[in-house]
Amino acid sequence: MNTESAQRAFELYVEELSQWGKRAHKHNFFEIVYVERGSGFQCINEHEFAYSAGNIFLLPPLDCHSFRVKEPSKFYYIRFTDYFFTGADNMAQYGDWFERISYVLANYNRIPGDIISTERERNFIIENIKTVHHEYTVSDGYSHAIIMGIVASILNILARSIETRYVVDAIDSD
């Protein structure tokens, strides 16, 4: 199985696809995927889940995944390594925070598919993904700090959604 490696500590890609041309693969980085439009199926660790416009997925490192596009789809991919938050040029000292939050993010794979708890949180994340895309494109002297702060906010919301679902799932299964 192919394992993709990040070329930089932070990358953002936007792709419009009518079909998925890649084989199932793994990453050595975290990836947030926002589906702006389209539908199909996402395969994570040999389990397939439907996706549609507005879905947001978090792919931890080393999870096997792929997409099967049913309707032409537009994806935003935010890719980052731990070095994005812990590296030497880290202005805001996110290192300790990222160590705590990465445990939740890397070990949540018991929750399949979209992980957002509320529409308010979904709308917040979608708007912020688009802001990150703009800052990534502009890339001025402030962009790195703005992107880091926004991605930290998105990750905090994702972690809260994950923990909320774990607590609900744990209570429901008792």
Side-chain angles (χ1 to χ4, degrees):
M1 169 148 324
N2 183 33
T3 300
E4 283 186 36
S5 296
Q7 302 303 310
R8 291 174 280 194
F10 181 87
E11 299 171 319
L12 188 143
Y13 297 98
V14 179
E15 268 187 330
E16 296 188 47
L17 301 171
S18 296
Q19 64 181 14
W20 183 260
K22 301 177 189 176
R23 295 175 55 185
H25 61 279
K26 297 180 181 184
H27 299 147
N28 73 342
F29 49 85
F30 288 92
E31 185 171 58
I32 299 169
V33 180
Y34 161 55
V35 181
E36 184 174 63
R37 68 174 177 269
S39 66
F41 298 91
Q42 178 189 40
C43 181
I44 301 176
N45 297 327
E46 300 179 17
H47 300 284
E48 196 169 74
F49 310 97
Y51 77 80
S52 60
N55 284 159
I56 298 167
F57 304 105
L58 174 66
L59 303 173
L62 302 179
D63 274 5
C64 174
H65 74 278
S66 63
F67 288 93
R68 188 164 43 94
V69 178
K70 182 177 166 186
E71 297 176 344
S73 300
K74 183 174 182 180
F75 299 98
Y76 285 73
Y77 305 96
I78 295 177
R79 299 173 174 178
F80 58 93
T81 66
D82 58 345
Y83 192 75
F84 180 62
F85 291 106
T86 63
D89 64 342
N90 184 341
M91 301 175 1
Q93 300 303 317
Y94 282 102
D96 291 339
W97 164 83
F98 188 73
E99 279 185 35
R100 287 190 309 275
I101 204 165
S102 66
Y103 178 79
V104 173
L105 300 176
N107 292 292
Y108 88 98
N109 59 3
R110 288 179 263 164
I111 301 172
D114 187 278
I115 60 171
I116 307 305
S117 297
T118 68
E119 285 308 305
R120 182 183 60 77
E121 289 177 343
R122 179 180 314 285
N123 292 333
F124 176 87
I125 291 172
I126 289 169
E127 288 304 313
N128 279 282
I129 286 173
K130 291 179 179 182
T131 301
V132 168
H133 179 252
H134 172 76
E135 288 298 328
Y136 191 73
T137 303
V138 170
S139 194
D140 64 20
Y142 294 95
S143 293
H144 179 76
I146 292 168
I147 289 170
M148 188 178 293
I150 291 172
V151 172
S153 294
I154 291 170
L155 292 176
N156 278 314
I157 289 172
L158 293 175
R160 179 171 61 193
S161 289
I162 291 165
E163 286 183 350
T164 298
R165 290 178 88 173
Y166 270 143
V167 170
V168 171
D169 289 347
I171 291 171
D172 288 346
S173 66
D174 286 343

